[in-house]
């Protein structure tokens, strides 16, 4: 019974067999055609269908309707516009990625424009300034300029001098410590606006050992802190304050801004 | 489907107009063959009130090996009229099948037929066309 049903289905499929290879055939149709392949009855049917289809294709189409099937595009391809292109998710993603990369490059470029010998150390020390608490320093109540002698006498640090601009500021503490490159850093805490001073060795040329100096004051920024750095006699001095450049500018000589 | 170029043109334009209006309203159906289905129904509608062919018992012959050469002797308009004169759904089945644009599953979908129905309609159509061909172009040795 099942066999009979299968044969009926195959017979039904053969009656609907594609006329040409233009029409796709599913697995069951291919199987039925394969089974009937070579039979005179199926060959007759295929020849009949092909001839009929050829004739049907020759049926004249009314001229007005035929115009619709001309070679011209019925629907004009959509116009390319910037607006459309920008809405494309792929283009949007690439644009954002390029913008971020460009932003990073510009940021690095601008950062490097402000770089000077010792700027990396200065930035690290701004981080130190942010994390330092007064109890970590030895209490010293004096004028800042007098600490130069202390650093020299007690620690043997030469030219660790506070510039004239900050010489009169009152201190509340100081300490000398070594950074991760074993350089000796002097740190001074002031009563004035919780300002801190840092004195550290200036960078030197790795081949000649010559001090890499720079003129005037340079600014560095890190974690909301700003430092004004100057170099003198192979030692860098940095005045650090929480805030921006404008908070430090009043303390510096107008000519050096 | 109609055997009348004027009517065919009217149906064609009406179908296109419907498609354009739906497109303008952004209401185009997502199913792939709705346009053909629409055209088919319009064709059936257009012929509903026409004079209907008499319900005659049309003869049927087995397909002849020389059928292809008999068909080639026909004028294309003759086969168009012959198909359009068939009662629906045989007319839809023959028209869609011999257009050679759709596979059998698509025809089943478009004409809303079952496989056995389509198979019977096509087989019967072939045999009837063969009988007509034999009457029109008699072949020696065929009854």
């Amino acid at each position: 019974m099942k066999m009979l049903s299968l044969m009926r289905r195959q017979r039904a499929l053969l009656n609907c067999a594609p006329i040409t290879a233009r029409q796709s055939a599913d697995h069951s149709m291919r199987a039925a055609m394969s089974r009937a392949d070579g039979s005179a009855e199926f060959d007759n049917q295929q020849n009949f269908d092909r001839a009929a289809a050829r004739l049907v294709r020759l049926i004249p189409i009314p001229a007005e309707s035929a115009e619709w099937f001309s070679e011209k595009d019925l629907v004009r391809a959509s116009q390319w516009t910037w607006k459309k292109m920008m809405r494309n998710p792929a283009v949007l993603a690439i644009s954002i990625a390029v913008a971020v990369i460009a932003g990073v490059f510009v940021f690095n470029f601008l950062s490097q424009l402000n770089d000077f010998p010792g700027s990396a150390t200065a930035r690290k020390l701004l981080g130190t300034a942010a994390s330092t608490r007064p109890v970590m320093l030895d209490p010293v109540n004096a004028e800042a300029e007098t600490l130069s002698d202390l650093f020299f006498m007690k620690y043997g640090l030469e030219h660790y001098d506070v510039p004239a601009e900050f010489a009169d500021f009152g201190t509340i503490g100081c300490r000398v410590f070594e950074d991760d490159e074993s350089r000796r850093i002097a740190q001074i805490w002031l009563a004035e606006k919780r300002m801190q001073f840092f004195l550290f060795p200036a960078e030197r040329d790795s081949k000649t050992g010559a001090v890499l100096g720079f003129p005037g004051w340079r600014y560095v920024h890190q974690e909301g802190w700003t430092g004004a750095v100057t170099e003198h006699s192979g030692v860098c001095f940095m005045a650090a304050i929480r805030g921006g450049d404008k908070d430090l500018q009043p303390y510096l000589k107008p000519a050096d801004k | 489907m109609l055997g009348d170029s004027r009517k065919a043109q009217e149906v064609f334009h009406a179908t296109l107009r419907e498609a354009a209006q739906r497109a303008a309203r952004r209401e185009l159906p997502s199913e792939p063959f709705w346009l053909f289905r629409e055209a088919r129904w319009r064709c059936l509608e257009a012929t509903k009130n026409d004079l209907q062919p008499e319900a005659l018992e049309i003869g049927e012959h087995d397909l002849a090996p020389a059928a292809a050469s008999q068909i080639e002797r026909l004028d294309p308009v003759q086969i168009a009229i012959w198909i359009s004169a068939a009662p629906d759904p045989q007319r839809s089945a023959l028209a869609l099948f011999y257009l050679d644009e759709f596979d059998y599953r698509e025809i089943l979908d478009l004409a809303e037929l079952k496989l056995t129905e389509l198979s019977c309609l096509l087989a019967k159509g072939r045999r009837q066309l063969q009988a007509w061909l034999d009457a029109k172009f008699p072949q020696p040795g065929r009854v």
Side-chain angles (χ1 to χ4, degrees):
Chain A
M1 192 69 181
K2 198 175 174 184
M3 191 68 180
L4 191 68
S5 165
L6 189 69
M7 284 174 70
R8 268 192 201 145
R9 181 173 163 75
Q10 286 203 337
R11 182 66 252 171
L13 282 169
L14 283 180
N15 275 331
C16 310
I19 300 169
T20 57
R22 288 168 62 192
Q23 303 314 323
S24 62
D26 57 13
H27 175 72
S28 51
M29 176 64 84
R30 284 197 303 274
M33 287 172 70
S34 167
R35 195 178 285 265
D37 199 23
S39 81
E41 191 184 357
F42 185 60
D43 284 350
N44 265 353
Q45 177 192 311
Q46 289 274 280
N47 290 336
F48 183 96
D49 286 346
R50 281 190 206 108
R54 271 199 302 272
L55 196 64
V56 165
R57 273 200 292 278
L58 297 176
I59 294 172
I61 298 172
E64 285 182 36
S65 302
E67 282 175 11
W68 287 86
F69 301 102
S70 65
E71 294 299 315
K72 291 176 191 168
D73 292 333
L74 292 182
V75 181
R76 188 183 292 177
S78 60
Q79 291 285 316
W80 180 92
T81 62
W82 280 105
K83 206 173 172 183
K84 262 187 186 174
M85 198 182 77
M86 289 309 294
R87 281 181 189 159
N88 184 320
V91 174
L92 200 62
I94 292 168
S95 306
I96 292 170
V98 168
V100 169
I101 292 167
V104 170
F105 271 107
V106 168
F107 178 77
N108 284 341
F109 178 72
L110 291 177
S111 300
Q112 282 178 4
L113 276 182
N114 294 324
D115 273 1
F116 54 89
S119 60
T121 307
R123 281 194 197 92
K124 270 190 216 168
L125 292 175
L126 284 179
T128 305
S131 60
T132 301
R133 297 290 169 268
V135 291
M136 296 163 70
L137 283 75
D138 302 326
V140 177
N141 195 349
E143 286 187 347
E145 67 174 342
T146 62
L147 295 186
S148 301
D149 296 333
L150 175 73
F151 294 139
F152 179 68
M153 301 285 281
K154 191 174 178 183
Y155 302 102
L157 298 171
E158 278 188 87
H159 304 300
Y160 273 48
D161 303 324
V162 174
E165 293 89 335
F166 298 98
D168 300 335
F169 283 61
T171 67
I172 56 173
C174 74
R175 67 165 175 165
V176 172
F177 63 95
E178 288 188 356
D179 68 2
D180 49 6
E181 292 174 31
S182 300
R183 287 175 301 195
R184 300 179 82 190
I185 314 288
Q187 184 178 10
I188 304 168
W189 192 293
L190 306 182
E192 175 98 6
K193 290 189 177 177
R194 301 171 69 85
M195 199 185 288
Q196 294 179 42
F197 294 159
F198 290 89
L199 291 141
F200 56 95
E203 271 191 24
R204 292 174 182 273
D205 188 292
S206 58
K207 288 178 184 170
T208 62
V211 172
L212 299 171
F214 54 90
W217 292 91
R218 301 292 180 90
Y219 289 97
V220 287
H221 308 90
Q222 184 80 15
E223 297 175 8
W225 283 69
T226 299
V229 187
T230 187
E231 185 272 334
H232 179 67
S233 303
V235 174
C236 285
F237 168 86
M238 177 170 74
I241 196 169
R242 181 183 286 279
D245 294 4
K246 65 179 188 309
D247 296 309
L248 271 174
Q249 277 165 0
Y251 300 105
L252 308 178
K253 284 181 181 173
D256 294 329
K257 277 181 191 174
Chain B
M1 283 291 285
L2 294 164
D4 180 331
S5 63
R6 187 185 53 80
K7 277 185 185 169
Q9 196 169 311
E10 280 173 11
V11 166
F12 177 74
H13 286 164
T15 309
L16 277 187
R17 202 178 306 118
E18 171 76 15
Q21 283 170 351
R22 285 195 186 196
R25 295 196 302 265
R26 297 179 185 280
E27 289 174 2
L28 281 177
S30 56
E31 59 149 334
F33 296 116
W34 77 270
L35 193 72
F36 297 100
R37 200 193 303 277
E38 181 80 21
R40 174 178 172 249
W41 281 113
R42 282 180 189 277
C43 287
L44 297 179
E45 195 68 25
T47 54
K48 200 168 71 177
N49 298 323
D50 283 358
L51 284 175
Q52 300 299 312
E54 286 181 51
L56 292 172
E57 193 63 38
I58 304 172
E60 294 180 25
H61 287 179
D62 287 341
L63 299 193
S69 62
Q70 287 175 299
I71 291 170
E72 281 165 11
R73 292 167 69 184
L74 281 176
D75 187 89
V77 177
Q78 286 178 300
I79 198 165
I81 291 169
W82 190 87
I83 290 173
S84 66
D88 209 70
Q90 189 182 36
R91 180 173 24 150
S92 298
L94 290 170
L96 293 169
F97 183 74
Y98 286 111
L99 264 180
D100 195 22
E101 294 289 341
F102 307 101
D103 66 34
Y104 79 96
R105 287 159 301 182
E106 291 166 345
I107 296 172
L108 295 179
D109 179 29
L110 267 170
E112 294 162 3
L113 292 169
K114 291 176 185 168
L115 176 62
T116 48
E117 291 173 328
L118 178 66
S119 168
C120 285
L121 292 170
L122 291 178
K124 194 171 185 178
R126 283 188 196 105
R127 290 173 60 80
Q128 289 174 341
L129 182 57
Q130 181 65 67
W132 183 56
L133 288 170
D134 287 341
K136 205 165 175 56
F137 312 110
Q139 296 288 301
R142 270 182 76 85
V143 181

